[in-house]
Each structure stands twice: as C-alpha cells, then as structure tokens.
Amino acid sequence: MRMKRIKLQTASQKCCLFSGKGVEGTVEGRRVGVGSVQFIQQFCGEACSTPQGSAANLEQIASRLHGEGCMLSAIAVDGKLVCVLGLKDSLRKDSIEAVRLLQDMDIRVCMVTGDNESAAHAVAAEAGIGPEDVYAQVL
C-alpha cells in the first residue's frame, strides 16, 4: 500500500492516508480508521466485528448493501467496528438523457468506475448502459 501523511484540522496526532483504501490516525488517544470494508478488516485484524456480533455479520451487512447497489465505507475505533455506511450514487436526469442520445447516434457508451460491481451495474442499468459495457473497481 502506498502511504501518504496528511495533517488534519482535528485533534489527530498521527494520520496516515492509504490512497484509494482509507485513512487511519490517533484522535484523542484512540486509534481510528475510516475506509473500505476491506481496509477496516485489515485495520481491525481478527477482532473486526460488528457491535451485534461476529465478522460474519459484517459480511452479511456488506453483501446486503452491495446488493442494493451501494458503495461501502466503514469506521472503526480501537479495533472495533462502529459504523458501516452504504453510499449510493444517484443519476441526474440529464445524464440518462445524454446516454440515450449518444446511443441513438450509434455511439457505444461505457461506464468506468472505482465502485464495486453491484453498485456499478445498478447505476449503469438506471442510465441505460448494458452490463457488457460496465468496468467496475478500476482504481
């Protein structure tokens, strides 16, 4: 992983940015990580679990949110998962129309995104872009 140090405008004493993955730091004496579910699983190690239970529960949450077309971020404090965020892109009406107009002119429209496969395909379907023209998890 590529590491870059940044200075935050908070009480963080140490902060490391892992480009495209997440950030970890010490805030008020507590070790905090924010980033992708995979990054947080590495950050927490074997102890990574949801407040309700096991790491398997985290996988179930991630699977459900991915199935809804969400991109995930998570927050852990002192090695314990405290939050999973499901973020979903929404298309502007003019984006959908632009795709249709390009396709009407026989121009192939592709979607290239850093989002996960499920989220990418959900947004592409809404825009009228076929699954064969979706390139996901491009970083």
Side-chain angles (χ1 to χ4, degrees):
M1 282 186 208
R2 199 169 28 165
M3 187 171 74
K4 178 181 177 184
R5 293 196 181 273
I6 60 172
K7 186 174 182 178
L8 297 178
Q9 300 291 331
T10 67
S12 174
Q13 290 91 26
K14 295 180 185 176
C15 186
C16 295
L17 173 67
F18 297 89
S19 186
K21 308 243 184 264
V23 63
E24 67 177 72
T26 304
V27 179
E28 297 179 0
R30 301 183 78 182
R31 189 169 164 247
V32 178
V34 179
S36 70
V37 170
Q38 294 81 9
F39 176 80
I40 294 300
Q41 286 173 320
Q42 290 176 343
F43 176 81
C44 293
E46 294 295 318
C48 193
S49 64
T50 65
Q52 293 79 26
S54 69
N57 194 18
L58 172 59
E59 292 301 323
Q60 290 172 343
I61 293 168
S63 178
R64 180 176 55 82
L65 290 171
H66 275 146
E68 293 174 11
C70 293
M71 178 178 60
L72 304 182
S73 288
I75 302 170
V77 178
D78 293 332
K80 302 261 192 242
L81 182 70
V82 296
C83 180
V84 177
L85 303 169
L87 309 169
K88 189 171 181 179
D89 289 329
S90 59
L91 290 175
R92 296 189 323 243
K93 183 181 176 187
D94 56 346
S95 297
I96 297 169
E97 177 139 347
V99 168
R100 188 185 54 75
L101 289 172
L102 290 168
Q103 291 170 335
D104 287 349
M105 296 185 318
D106 290 325
I107 296 173
R108 181 179 176 197
V109 178
C110 296
M111 180 174 163
V112 181
T113 179
D115 286 352
N116 69 70
E117 290 280 338
S118 297
H121 283 281
V123 172
E126 187 180 346
I129 298 171
E132 69 282 357
D133 292 323
V134 177
Y135 300 89
Q137 295 179 311
V138 177
L139 192 59

Short mmCIF file of all heavy atoms in Angstrom, two decimals, residues 22 29 35 38 49-50 52 64 85 100 114 119 123 126 129:
data_model
loop_
_atom_site.label_atom_id
_atom_site.label_comp_id
_atom_site.label_asym_id
_atom_site.label_seq_id
_atom_site.Cartn_x
_atom_site.Cartn_y
_atom_site.Cartn_z
N GLY A 22 -8.27 3.98 2.50
CA GLY A 22 -8.77 4.53 3.75
C GLY A 22 -7.74 5.39 4.44
O GLY A 22 -6.68 5.69 3.90
N GLY A 29 -6.23 10.11 21.64
CA GLY A 29 -5.68 8.89 22.22
C GLY A 29 -6.30 7.60 21.74
O GLY A 29 -5.92 6.52 22.17
N GLY A 35 -12.62 3.88 6.03
CA GLY A 35 -12.30 3.47 4.67
C GLY A 35 -13.18 2.34 4.19
O GLY A 35 -14.26 2.09 4.73
N GLN A 38 -12.80 -3.67 3.34
CA GLN A 38 -11.57 -4.47 3.31
C GLN A 38 -10.46 -3.77 4.12
O GLN A 38 -9.72 -4.42 4.86
CB GLN A 38 -11.10 -4.69 1.87
CG GLN A 38 -12.04 -5.54 1.04
CD GLN A 38 -13.22 -4.76 0.48
OE1 GLN A 38 -13.30 -3.53 0.55
NE2 GLN A 38 -14.19 -5.48 -0.08
N SER A 49 -15.41 -6.99 14.20
CA SER A 49 -16.78 -7.49 14.28
C SER A 49 -17.73 -6.31 14.41
O SER A 49 -17.32 -5.21 14.74
CB SER A 49 -16.95 -8.43 15.48
OG SER A 49 -16.76 -7.73 16.68
N THR A 50 -18.98 -6.57 14.13
CA THR A 50 -19.99 -5.53 14.29
C THR A 50 -20.36 -5.45 15.77
O THR A 50 -20.10 -6.39 16.52
CB THR A 50 -21.25 -5.88 13.47
OG1 THR A 50 -21.83 -7.06 14.01
CG2 THR A 50 -20.93 -6.07 12.01
N GLN A 52 -23.09 -5.96 16.95
CA GLN A 52 -24.04 -7.04 17.22
C GLN A 52 -23.39 -8.42 17.23
O GLN A 52 -24.04 -9.39 17.56
CB GLN A 52 -25.16 -7.05 16.16
CG GLN A 52 -26.06 -5.86 16.21
CD GLN A 52 -25.45 -4.64 15.55
OE1 GLN A 52 -24.61 -4.74 14.67
NE2 GLN A 52 -25.85 -3.47 15.99
N ARG A 64 -25.57 -7.38 1.73
CA ARG A 64 -26.90 -6.78 1.56
C ARG A 64 -26.81 -5.40 0.92
O ARG A 64 -27.53 -5.08 -0.03
CB ARG A 64 -27.63 -6.70 2.89
CG ARG A 64 -29.04 -6.09 2.77
CD ARG A 64 -29.80 -6.09 4.07
NE ARG A 64 -29.13 -5.43 5.17
CZ ARG A 64 -29.12 -4.10 5.37
NH1 ARG A 64 -29.75 -3.31 4.53
NH2 ARG A 64 -28.48 -3.58 6.39
N LEU A 85 -21.27 2.40 6.38
CA LEU A 85 -22.06 3.34 5.60
C LEU A 85 -22.31 2.76 4.21
O LEU A 85 -21.37 2.31 3.55
CB LEU A 85 -21.31 4.67 5.44
CG LEU A 85 -20.91 5.39 6.70
CD1 LEU A 85 -19.95 6.52 6.38
CD2 LEU A 85 -22.14 5.90 7.41
N ARG A 100 -28.80 8.16 -23.64
CA ARG A 100 -29.76 7.76 -24.68
C ARG A 100 -29.45 8.45 -26.01
O ARG A 100 -29.47 7.82 -27.07
CB ARG A 100 -31.19 8.08 -24.24
CG ARG A 100 -32.25 7.51 -25.20
CD ARG A 100 -33.66 7.92 -24.83
NE ARG A 100 -33.85 9.36 -24.68
CZ ARG A 100 -33.92 10.23 -25.70
NH1 ARG A 100 -33.81 9.81 -26.95
NH2 ARG A 100 -34.11 11.52 -25.48
N GLY A 114 -14.66 3.30 -10.05
CA GLY A 114 -13.98 2.65 -8.94
C GLY A 114 -14.93 1.92 -8.02
O GLY A 114 -14.51 1.20 -7.11
N ALA A 119 -22.74 -1.99 -7.31
CA ALA A 119 -23.10 -0.57 -7.39
C ALA A 119 -22.97 -0.07 -8.82
O ALA A 119 -23.84 0.66 -9.32
CB ALA A 119 -22.22 0.25 -6.45
N VAL A 123 -26.15 1.45 -11.17
CA VAL A 123 -26.16 2.80 -11.75
C VAL A 123 -26.20 2.72 -13.27
O VAL A 123 -26.95 3.45 -13.93
CB VAL A 123 -24.93 3.61 -11.27
CG1 VAL A 123 -24.81 4.93 -12.03
CG2 VAL A 123 -25.02 3.86 -9.78
N GLU A 126 -29.65 1.91 -14.53
CA GLU A 126 -30.51 3.10 -14.44
C GLU A 126 -30.23 4.07 -15.58
O GLU A 126 -31.14 4.72 -16.10
CB GLU A 126 -30.28 3.79 -13.09
CG GLU A 126 -31.23 4.92 -12.81
CD GLU A 126 -30.98 5.59 -11.46
OE1 GLU A 126 -30.25 5.03 -10.62
OE2 GLU A 126 -31.52 6.70 -11.27
N ILE A 129 -27.12 1.74 -19.66
CA ILE A 129 -25.86 1.17 -20.14
C ILE A 129 -25.88 -0.33 -19.85
O ILE A 129 -26.15 -0.75 -18.73
CB ILE A 129 -24.66 1.83 -19.44
CG1 ILE A 129 -24.63 3.33 -19.76
CG2 ILE A 129 -23.34 1.16 -19.84
CD1 ILE A 129 -23.63 4.13 -18.95
#
